[in-house]
Amino acid sequence: MAFEGLADRLQNTIQRIKGKGKVTEQDVKEMTREVRLALLEADVNFKVVKDFVARVKERAIGQEVMESLTPGQQVIKVVKEELTALMGGEQSKIAVADRPPTIIMMVGLQGAGKTTTTGKLANLLRKKYNRNPMLVAADVYRPAAINQLETLGKQLSMPVFSLGTDRDPVDIANQAIEKAKADHNDYVIIDTAGRLHVDGDLMQELKQIKTDVAPDEIFLVVDAMTGQDAVNVAESFNEQLELTGVILTKLDGDTRGGAALSIKAVTEKPIKFAGMGEKLDELEVFHPERMASRILG
Ligand code: GDP
């Protein structure tokens, strides 16, 4: 499970301050030093750590703690609130178009889990929100991706729109949307092409699709295991496409969790969902507060 190391270290640190009837500036300094090290070790972006620690320190030696009857616990409350804010604060909602279908564009590098997550998201939309999605195979460079999506569609008993590999993805997307309207599918989830690295041609193609179909959501699927790289990838996709949200995958692995803690701060885009395994029902709505509680114990 992600965040294990971070959770261990932070829980140790806060345990020590928790019972204190009086919290001195020295206590706060020691605690924030530990918090800083724990976050850096968890691979959280350096600048994000610096700002985070500064905010915690300012609040922890401020009035709200000093005047509290239980200062030790108050400090922990501050850490928890700031950790929650770091991951986005409120849980974010998924868009609903005024006139259906709501169009979701899935983007990301190859191997991040984009195709699998397209299936998982469709499953979640049906189960949790009672929606009736259509999947669209617009990754025309990788025939295997089309087959993979069709297999997922079969498992889910959901329609998959595909025109094979020799068509323009923009055409595919447009035709899929028409079909979804006719068939009363209220969500259209477009699985776009990935590459091994961020590249200009790919971005051009994605921008073209975006301009043409005007999606309600553009979700970047990123592999949480890639740590700082996930943050860099998110930054470049966001610059080019103005994402509406991020889906972190593989949070079930022994990732150190840094990506989850840096992406919102760096891109200003919320993490909307988290992949917790390979199975189709292993996608969760991302709750910053619950995640912060999980980390702080
Ligand atoms: P794509 O190239 O981005 O479309 O990636 P795929 O959807 O083909 O996924 C790549 C691999 O990651 C597959 O083996 C998936 O089963 C796996 N995968 C995707 N999401 C998760 C996740 O949340 N947890 C785990 N453990 N594996 C995942």
Side-chain angles (χ1 to χ4, degrees), residues 49-86:
V49 175
K50 195 164 164 246
D51 292 348
F52 179 84
V53 168
R55 271 195 311 275
V56 169
K57 202 182 253 174
E58 192 189 319
R59 286 184 61 189
I61 53 181
Q63 273 183 353
E64 68 183 308
V65 168
M66 298 309 167
E67 287 174 6
S68 159
L69 291 175
T70 50
Q73 281 170 27
Q74 193 64 25
V75 170
I76 293 160
K77 187 160 163 271
V78 166
V79 175
K80 189 174 164 200
E81 281 172 8
E82 291 297 335
L83 203 56
T84 304
L86 186 62

Side-chain angles (χ1 to χ4, degrees), residues 179-253:
K179 176 99 169 80
K181 281 182 190 159
D183 293 354
H184 302 291
N185 293 110
D186 49 11
Y187 273 79
V188 171
I189 313 180
I190 307 170
D191 184 25
T192 64
R195 295 274 202 286
L196 288 175
H197 305 283
V198 174
D199 95 24
D201 285 351
L202 172 68
M203 286 302 173
Q204 209 44 50
E205 176 180 310
L206 296 175
K207 274 188 198 167
Q208 197 74 50
I209 302 177
K210 175 185 172 181
T211 310
D212 224 73
V213 310
D216 302 285
E217 297 272 20
I218 304 179
F219 288 154
L220 174 70
V221 178
V222 271
D223 180 342
M225 302 278 281
T226 55
Q228 286 301 302
D229 235 22
V231 179
N232 297 334
V233 167
E235 248 189 319
S236 9
F237 272 82
N238 192 38
E239 267 167 29
Q240 302 281 333
L241 293 167
E242 286 174 61
L243 306 170
T244 62
V246 173
I247 303 183
L248 275 181
T249 61
K250 311 186 195 180
L251 268 181
D252 52 309

Side-chain angles (χ1 to χ4, degrees), residues 91-104:
Q91 174 217 324
S92 24
K93 301 263 185 303
I94 192 158
V96 184
D98 290 337
R99 265 194 291 154
T102 303
I103 300 165
I104 301 178

Side-chain angles (χ1 to χ4, degrees), residues 108-117 120 139 142 145 148 152 191 221 248-253 274-279 282:
L109 294 185
Q110 209 167 298
K114 188 162 38 60
T115 304
T116 316
T117 305
K120 286 177 172 179
D139 181 354
R142 223 166 46 95
Q148 194 184 341
L152 290 171
D191 184 25
V221 178
L248 275 181
T249 61
K250 311 186 195 180
L251 268 181
D252 52 309
M276 307 299 291
E278 295 193 73
K279 297 203 199 79
E282 290 178 313

